[in-house]
């Protein structure tokens, strides 16, 4: 069995609320293997986004271990975690999170640019990815003239440009109508499957969960309780 690309152990996230402490996640442990797509399901407020932010190193846990590609994130300072994320983790968000002042191409290139790796090869890959996601003729457009589905396709291209082994998606179809959401989901699945990425995707969509190999359920409150087969 291949070593997992994502592994968490005894993960806990608590926040201070005045004198009290509120536990958002507790005893969360799971792993995701190379090439595996895992849905993260559970009601609103169950901690899906919090968990994704921990795995991406945007946020830090109160306790527990997170290992991505064999690196324990707790051993990295914030700067090192940011660099690690840009290099190895593709991120997709519900609200797309494109920069409105940058063109499609510039948005896709941005994470590699920030990582100092926007060379000719990367730019050639941007062009190819624009074609691949059906936006070959929109490369110079700004996000505000694109539909929601088009904007999310730009975000998918941005997420995979650096050929990350790990992709984290937070309700990637949550802002889209059903038909557009299906198209975006199919594209995300194809792009990640053909690259053998490990995918962890928070979703409310049964169809999105069913497109994954398995699902992890965050129960109301805090504990990651069960591994359930997709519907
Ligand atoms: P989900 O993505 O499953 O809807 P979240 O991870 O966004 O859940 O939120 C889990 C819980 O943590 C919620 O109760 C939310 O209100 C709380 N929470 C998340 N981030 C913060 C924060 N920065 N400050 C206070 N509460 C937070
Ligand atoms: Mg959320």
């Amino acid at each position: 069995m291949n070593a997992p690309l994502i592994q968490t152990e005894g993960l806990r996230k608590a926040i201070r609320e005045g004198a009290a402490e509120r536990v958002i996640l507790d005893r969360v442990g799971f792993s995701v293997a190379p090439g595996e797509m895992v849905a993260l399901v559970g009601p609103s407020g169950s901690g899906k986004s919090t968990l994704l932010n921990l795995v991406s190193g945007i946020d830090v846990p109160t306790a527990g271990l997170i290992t991505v590609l064999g690196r324990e994130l707790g051993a990295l300072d914030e700067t090192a975690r940011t660099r690690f994320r840009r290099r190895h983790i593709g991120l997709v968000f519900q609200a797309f999170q494109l920069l409105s002042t940058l063109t499609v191409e510039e948005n896709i290139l941005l994470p590699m640019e920030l990582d100092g790796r926007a060379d000719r090869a990367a730019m050639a890959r941007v062009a190819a990815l624009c074609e691949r996601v059906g936006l070959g003729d929109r490369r110079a457009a700004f996000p505000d003239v694109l539909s929601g589905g088009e904007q999310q396709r730009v975000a998918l291209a941005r997420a995979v440009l650096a050929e990350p082994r790990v992709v984290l998606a937070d309700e990637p179809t949550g802002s889209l109508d059903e038909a557009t959401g299906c198209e975006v989901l199919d594209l995300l699945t194809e792009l990640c499957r053909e690259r053998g990425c490990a995918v962890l995707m928070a979703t409310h969509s049964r169809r999105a969960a069913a497109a994954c190999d398995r699902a992890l359920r965050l129960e109301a409150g805090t504990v990651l309780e069960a591994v359930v087969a997709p519907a």
Side-chain angles (χ1 to χ4, degrees):
M1 170 91 182
N2 286 330
L5 291 182
I6 303 171
Q7 195 157 27
T8 75
E9 238 180 277
L11 211 53
R12 177 181 175 88
K13 179 69 182 179
I15 51 172
R16 287 244 143 260
E17 282 186 342
E21 184 185 62
R22 186 150 65 91
V23 177
I24 300 174
L25 297 169
D26 197 20
R27 289 172 286 153
V28 172
F30 66 91
S31 56
V32 184
E36 196 178 26
M37 286 186 69
V38 176
L40 186 59
V41 301
S44 288
S46 60
K48 301 182 296 297
S49 296
T50 302
L51 179 55
L52 289 174
N53 286 339
L54 293 176
V55 174
S56 68
I58 289 170
D59 194 4
V60 293
T62 308
L65 295 178
I66 306 163
T67 308
V68 180
L69 288 125
R71 292 291 288 275
E72 211 264 280
L73 298 189
L76 306 177
D77 65 18
E78 190 171 349
T79 307
R81 287 201 312 274
T82 299
R83 190 176 315 120
F84 183 80
R85 178 166 62 246
R86 285 185 185 137
R87 199 153 285 198
H88 300 296
I89 303 178
L91 297 176
V92 184
F93 304 95
Q94 176 170 359
F96 323 134
Q97 302 207 8
L98 304 178
L99 289 188
S100 61
T101 56
L102 300 183
T103 64
V104 164
E105 272 187 326
E106 289 164 349
N107 267 285
I108 295 171
L109 190 61
L110 187 64
M112 289 197 75
E113 181 113 49
L114 291 171
D115 199 30
R117 294 193 298 151
D119 55 11
R120 287 169 95 99
M123 290 193 298
R125 288 217 306 283
V126 171
L129 267 171
C130 283
E131 295 293 337
R132 178 72 176 73
V133 302
L135 294 169
D137 56 352
R138 311 309 299 276
R139 284 159 51 181
F142 289 91
D144 63 356
V145 302
L146 302 179
S147 70
E150 289 171 331
Q151 291 187 52
Q152 196 62 306
R153 284 190 269 143
V154 175
L156 293 180
R158 177 181 60 185
V160 300
L161 178 70
E163 301 285 342
R165 302 292 318 282
V166 170
V167 171
L168 305 176
D170 195 350
E171 306 202 28
T173 64
S175 298
L176 305 173
D177 65 61
E178 169 119 19
T180 308
C182 286
E183 285 169 24
V184 162
L185 178 66
D186 288 347
L187 186 58
L188 185 155
T189 305
E190 284 169 28
L191 289 170
C192 292
R193 294 270 190 216
E194 69 201 27
R195 288 168 173 73
C197 301
V199 180
L200 184 60
M201 172 169 61
T203 186
H204 284 292
S205 155
R206 290 178 74 84
R207 189 179 182 280
C212 293
D213 301 306
R214 63 192 167 94
L216 298 169
R217 177 170 298 280
L218 281 173
E219 289 297 328
T222 58
V223 184
L224 184 70
E225 270 207 334
V227 177
V228 294

